[in-house]
């Protein structure tokens, strides 16, 4: 019955439609959640005027955004000014495509003849269709992932697409023709470029371990147990990479304490200073949806994605993601979303706890802290797994319990090494003055026209 | 200054855990979590929920408003016969650091005084509610009341004139004697 | 040069000085009410009593001449006791109404009460309340505030020579009075307000208008006659409130005429021209001053291009020398043969005031009713070339005046100046007019550029004696109005911003010698005046 339905409306389309709309709604409600969390940390109650406990606040905000005048100040670059929010939205929704929301569904279909086999779009047949003995009827077993597009280069795709978000910010800053916006754009660009490196390195660590770029397969590989009871999530064997990745996500999302691009106090809102009405709405929504997507990636890479003890299908031991129960698929999606929500909660909690970094601290942290550590972690992981001659299971390398312990040990070693190294490294002087030729501070050349 | 008066303050060195940021970050997160819990637990203690709750309705020792010293919107006091106490001496406008009191003086229509304010405008948007005018007034004519709700739809509306200031006197005299 | 010792300090003084003056010259303050350097000494207020060694009683510093080697104590216990006592007695019949008194802030009684008086009054009786009296068109007398120093009485007797005021009664009921039917309306009457040390005599035009501490004073010159009386223009937030005399030993000493005192009213006249206009299809349309000036410039240039010697400039004797000079240069740059005409110089009656007792001349109000006829004549002389007087222009008999077709006319008089006898050129030909108040000429001119009044610009005037004196900008000109000089500066395409001092230096003597008065300088040292 449902299988017939899937041939008409393929699962990827369902996922696309549902998730797309859920995300749009979620972005609005995330703003409410953000405000609530802000209030709670500050001993307030937060929005409570519109609807019960302020629950209709996002609606009111949305209406406000829509009905406000679409204002563009005089000397802006019209084209770039317009496409910046569009790029923002486009990028985050494109990234959504490769997120493995619910694992793989296995179903059966009865066809009238072996020549008229029609399975849902995006599904693959398992084995050959078998005749039922009822005329020419055959029964086929097919598997279909609950994911918009199960790309085998999923991770690469994600990095590529998310990196495009910086264009939106830079375009917005540049097109606004406002010095604050421009500064915001420039800061964002430098920051995103810097933090993409440790982010990429932590992702490579994970990719190395499993030998695959497909997010679906990486999730599936974590849907197992070490020593029979510990979920084989990457956070347990690569805690350092997890933390690096989490930090980088904050930076990528331009959120406190990395919100230098929109620092209200210094830059009056940064790249979106000149934006108003729905254009601003799109930029903000893009930011929040981006947060959801990047958290989804984090969950997929380190927290086992949809996996939760008890939710592994047992149709095919080599592929724990395969299940024949749609209910299980739905439960997995719920689990996935809850994990994302927790991560986003952490994002917000951090935002209302930590003050903003200074720009040099920000750069120091990326280039002197995160990049060396994640580089060390990556190389170490490569060395550790090199010594195990593992057999791929269905194209994926797996991490056994002992390997996990070895990797954990490696993480601890990395921490100790860096603790020692940090003491020995020469300290950067945060107040050093760069001697730019011709500047007032350059003692080598007499300052002439300036003083 | 003597040598022994100079205290050299050394910049504190980061300890190992400080150098890693994260332990301190976690301590900070703990603090905010504590506040979050304090706010959302059933008997959460939260800030005054204006406008349902108002400080003037609370007892003073529970964070309520101390009316006699609160500095809000001005009023012009009247005497027994309902005339403004003000003699247009310009002391308040001279003392005002925000220069927001504008007086036009004229010959008073009453025999017992020389001068009275023909116009008396206070720009409540410029005022910083410092109370200097009240201090300066030799006739106790200008006073700051405990009214803090002041709304208007234009700047012009927020410049209170003599009539308005005298009206505020009528509104407030019952609970704030001169 | 005699030397005396005051409070242990040896000071040098001039011959024939009294102690008070010698001390004042040397920066030692002795309180005084009845003493005024421009009036005779009566020594009636007794607050200036000082102790002189060798003299058993306290002596009045305002009256006692110095003697070489004299030792004076101004703050010995005896002198201080006297000061306290005088203050206390004065205050027994002085109302406590500083908050509503216009003198507060520049009141001697207030200052000395603070400095020499006591904080707590001991007087418990009812104070005598003397009436408030209207003594003249411009002057009010609050007799209860009077401290009977008789400065005002002496002024009317010794300076204006009109003797309107006298002292009536004795003791607490003593009052300043006028004779029935003879109000205090002489042309110098306003000065009594300035010399009254307290708020007893007040100016009706200033009454209740402003508190004096809010006023800013700018040194200026009287615009009403050729005397060039020195004044302070007191203003606040761009509005003039009053004018006061500024001491100048060579010109007006301590006094000014009432005409000078109230001349500022023309500046805040509601009829002031504020918009530039140009003629279009037999009516005038408003424009901005640059456009109007450019229009006048090109039109006059075109006129002169056909035949030189057709232009004239009417230099008003209300103009500053700098302005007259720049306008002269401007018109000559258009037409080297342009005629420079000096505007009408109205003549009034010269009024001389004499001490009613000694007959000595004390003050003169000049008959020439414009401030700068002398200066403009000098500028015209300096520029050379054809020139004419206003009367010649009216008659238009000279051959070069017959050729005239158009000109630049400057008014700036404080009242309507285009009389019945006006030159034919005011009705025909091209007229670019700069003026401050409307008149028939302005209403029919081809181009009108509003001018700035004298309080709104910097400049210098040469008085009838040939003394060049500088006046400074006190208040901003009305919106859209710039000073005459700035218009010429703009049309001559001179570099930088207009600076009156630079133009003065270019003109040379005697104008370049004029000094900008220092607004913060102390009042010049007083001379002993023999009356
Ligand atoms: S409260 Fe202060 S600022 Fe406001 S009017 Fe009075 S003196 Fe001025
Ligand atoms: S200080 Fe008092 S009496 Fe004086 S003007 Fe102000 S309000 Fe009136
Ligand atoms: S009115 Fe003034 S000047 Fe005249 S006697 Fe009285 S205090 Fe002196
Ligand atoms: S000043 Fe000397 S007695 Fe009055």
């Amino acid at each position: 019955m449902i299988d017939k339905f899937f041939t008409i409306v393929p699962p990827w389309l369902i996922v696309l439609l549902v998730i797309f709309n859920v995300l749009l709604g979620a972005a609005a409600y995330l703003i409410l959640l953000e405000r609530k969390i802000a209030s709670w940390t500050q001993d307030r109650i937060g929005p409570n005027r519109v609807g019960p406990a302020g629950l209709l606040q996002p609606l009111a905000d949305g209406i406000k955004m829509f009905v406000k005048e679409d204002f563009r100040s005089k000397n802006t670059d019209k084209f770039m000014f317009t496409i910046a929010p569009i790029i923002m939205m486009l990028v985050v929704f494109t990234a959504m495509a490769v997120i493995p929301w619910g694992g793989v569904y296995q179903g059966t279909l009865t066809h009238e003849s072996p020549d008229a086999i029609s399975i849902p779009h995006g599904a693959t047949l398992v084995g050959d269709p078998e005749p039922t003995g009822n005329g020419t009827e055959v029964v086929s077993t097919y598997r279909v992932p609950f994911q918009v597009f199960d790309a085998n280069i999923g991770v690469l795709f994600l990095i590529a697409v998310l990196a495009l978000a910086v264009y939106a910010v830079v375009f917005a800053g540049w097109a606004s023709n406002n010095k604050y916006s421009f500064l915001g754009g420039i800061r964002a660009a430098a920051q995103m470029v810097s933090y993409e490196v440790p982010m990429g390195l932590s992702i490579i660590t994970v990719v190395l371990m499993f030998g695959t770029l497909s997010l679906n397969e990486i999730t599936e590989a974590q849907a197992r147990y070490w020593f029979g009871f510990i979920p084989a999530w990457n956070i347990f064997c690569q805690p350092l990479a997890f933390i690096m990745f989490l930090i980088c996500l904050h930076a990528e999302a331009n959120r406190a304490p990395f919100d230098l691009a929109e620092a209200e106090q210094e830059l009056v809102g940064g790249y979106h200073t000149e934006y108003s009405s729905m254009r601003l709405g799109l930029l903000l929504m893009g930011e929040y949806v981006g947060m959801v997507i990047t958290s989804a990636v984090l969950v997929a890479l380190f927290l086992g994605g949809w996996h939760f003890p008890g939710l592994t299908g047992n149709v095919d031991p080599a592929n724990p993601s395969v299940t024949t129960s749609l209910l299980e698929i739905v439960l997995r999606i719920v689990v996935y979303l809850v994990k994302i929500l927790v991560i986003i909660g952490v994002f917000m909690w951090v935002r209302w706890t930590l003050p903003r970094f200074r720009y040099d601290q920000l750069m120091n942290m990326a280039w002197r802290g995160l990049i060396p550590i994640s580089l060390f972690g990556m190389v170490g992981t490569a060395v550790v797994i090199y010594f195990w001659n593992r057999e791929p299971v269905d194209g994926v390398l797996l991490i056994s319990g002992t390997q996990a312990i070895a990797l954990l040990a490696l993480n601890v070693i990395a921490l100790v090494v860096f603790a020692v190294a940090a003491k020995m490294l020469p300290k950067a002087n945060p107040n050093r003055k760069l001697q730019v030729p011709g500047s007032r501070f350059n003692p080598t050349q007499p300052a002439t026209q300036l003083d | 200054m003597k040598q022994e008066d100079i205290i050299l303050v050394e910049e504190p060195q980061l300890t190992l855990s400080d150098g890693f940021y994260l332990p301190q970050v976690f301590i900070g997160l703990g603090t905010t979590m504590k506040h979050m819990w304090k706010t959302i637990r059933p008997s959460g203690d939260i800030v005054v929920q204006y406008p349902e709750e108002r400080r003037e309705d609370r007892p003073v020792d529970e964070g309520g408003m101390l009316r006699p010293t609160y500095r809000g919107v001005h009023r012009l006091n009247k005497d027994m016969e309902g005339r403004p106490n003000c003699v247009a001496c310009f002391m308040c406008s001279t003392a005002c650091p925000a220069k927001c009191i504008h007086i036009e003086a004229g010959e008073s229509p009453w025999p017992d005084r020389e001068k009275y304010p023909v116009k008396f405008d206070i720009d409540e948007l410029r005022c910083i509610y410092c109370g200097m005018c009240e201090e300066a007034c030799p006739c106790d004519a200008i006073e700051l009341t405990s009214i803090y709700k002041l709304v208007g739809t234009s700047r012009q509306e927020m410049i209170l004139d003599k009539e308005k200031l005298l009206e505020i006197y009528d509104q407030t005299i019952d609970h704030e004697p001169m | 040069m005699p030397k005396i010792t005051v409070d242990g300090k040896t000071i040098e003084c001039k011959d024939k000085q009294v102690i008070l003056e010698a001390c004042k010259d040397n920066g030692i303050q002795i309180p005084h009410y009845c003493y005024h350097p421009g009036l005779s000494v009566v020594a009636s207020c007794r607050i200036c009593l000082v102790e002189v060694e060798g003299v058993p009683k306290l002596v009045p510093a305002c009256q006692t001449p110095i003697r070489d080697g004299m030792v004076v104590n101004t703050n010995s216990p005896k002198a201080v006791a006297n000061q306290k006592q005088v203050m206390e007695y004065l205050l027994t019949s002085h109302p406590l109404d500083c908050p509503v008194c216009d003198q507060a802030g520049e009141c001697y009684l207030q200052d000395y009460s603070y400095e020499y008086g006591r904080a707590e009054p001991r007087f418990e009786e009812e104070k005598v309340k003397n009436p408030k009296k209207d003594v003249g068109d411009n002057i009010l007398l609050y007799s209860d505030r009077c401290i009977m120093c008789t400065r005002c009485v002496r002024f009317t007797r010794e300076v204006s020579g009109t003797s309107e005021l006298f002292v009536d009664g004795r003791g607490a009921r003593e009052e300043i009075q006028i004779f029935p039917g003879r109000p205090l309306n002489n042309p110098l009457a306003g000065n009594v307000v300035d010399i009254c040390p307290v708020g007893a005599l007040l100016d009706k035009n200033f009454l209740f208008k402003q508190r004096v501490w809010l006023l800013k004073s700018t040194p200026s010159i009287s615009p009403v006659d050729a005397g060039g009386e020195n004044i302070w223009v007191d203003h606040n937030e761009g509005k003039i409130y009053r004018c006061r005399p500024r001491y100048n030993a060579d010109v007006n000493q301590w006094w000014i005429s009432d005409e000078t005192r109230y001349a500022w009213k023309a500046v805040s006249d509601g009829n002031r021209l504020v918009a530039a206009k140009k003629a279009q299809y037999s009516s005038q349309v408003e424009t901005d001053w640059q456009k109007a000036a450019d229009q006048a410039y090109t039109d006059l240039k075109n006129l002169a291009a056909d035949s030189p010697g057709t232009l004239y400039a009417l230099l008003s004797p209300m103009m500053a020398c700098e302005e007259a000079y720049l306008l002269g240069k401007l018109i000559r740059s258009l037409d080297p043969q342009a005629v420079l005409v000096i505007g009408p110089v109205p003549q009034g009656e010269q009024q001389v005031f004499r001490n009613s007792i000694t007959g000595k001349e004390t003050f003169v109000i000049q008959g020439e009713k414009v401030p700068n006829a002398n200066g403009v004549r000098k500028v015209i002389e300096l520029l050379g070339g054809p020139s004419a007087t206003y009367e010649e222009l009216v008659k238009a008999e000279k051959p070069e005046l017959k050729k005239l077709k158009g000109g630049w006319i400057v008014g700036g008089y404080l009242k309507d100046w285009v009389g019945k006898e006006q030159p034919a050129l005011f009705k025909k030909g091209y007229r670019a007019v700069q003026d401050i108040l409307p008149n028939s000429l302005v209403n029919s001119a081809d181009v009108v550029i509003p001018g700035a009044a004298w309080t709104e610009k910097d400049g210098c005037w040469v008085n009838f004696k040939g003394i060049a004196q500088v006046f400074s900008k006190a208040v901003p000109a009305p919106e859209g109005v710039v000073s005459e000089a700035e218009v010429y500066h703009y049309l001559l395409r001179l570099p930088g911003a207009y600076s009156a001092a630079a133009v003065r230096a270019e003109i040379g003597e005697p104008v370049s010698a004029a000094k900008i008065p220092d607004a913060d300088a102390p009042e010049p040292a007083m001379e002993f005046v023999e009356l």
Side-chain angles (χ1 to χ4, degrees), chain C residues 141 146-153 176 195-198 200-201:
Chain C
L141 170 65
C146 173
I147 56 167
M148 297 315 294
C149 68
T150 70
R151 276 184 181 190
C152 53
V153 176
I176 300 297
I195 58 172
C196 180
V198 295
L201 287 163

Side-chain angles (χ1 to χ4, degrees), chain C residues 48-62:
Chain C
C48 71
L49 300 196
V50 292
E51 205 171 358
V52 174
E53 259 172 42
V55 182
K57 286 191 0 177
L58 295 175
V59 298
C62 64

Side-chain angles (χ1 to χ4, degrees), chain C residues 79 89 102 124 140 150 172 188 223 227 303 317 335 350 364 419 445 502:
Chain C
Y89 274 124
D102 273 344
E124 281 165 4
L140 267 184
T150 70
L188 299 183
L303 264 186
D335 174 2
Q350 191 187 42
V364 183

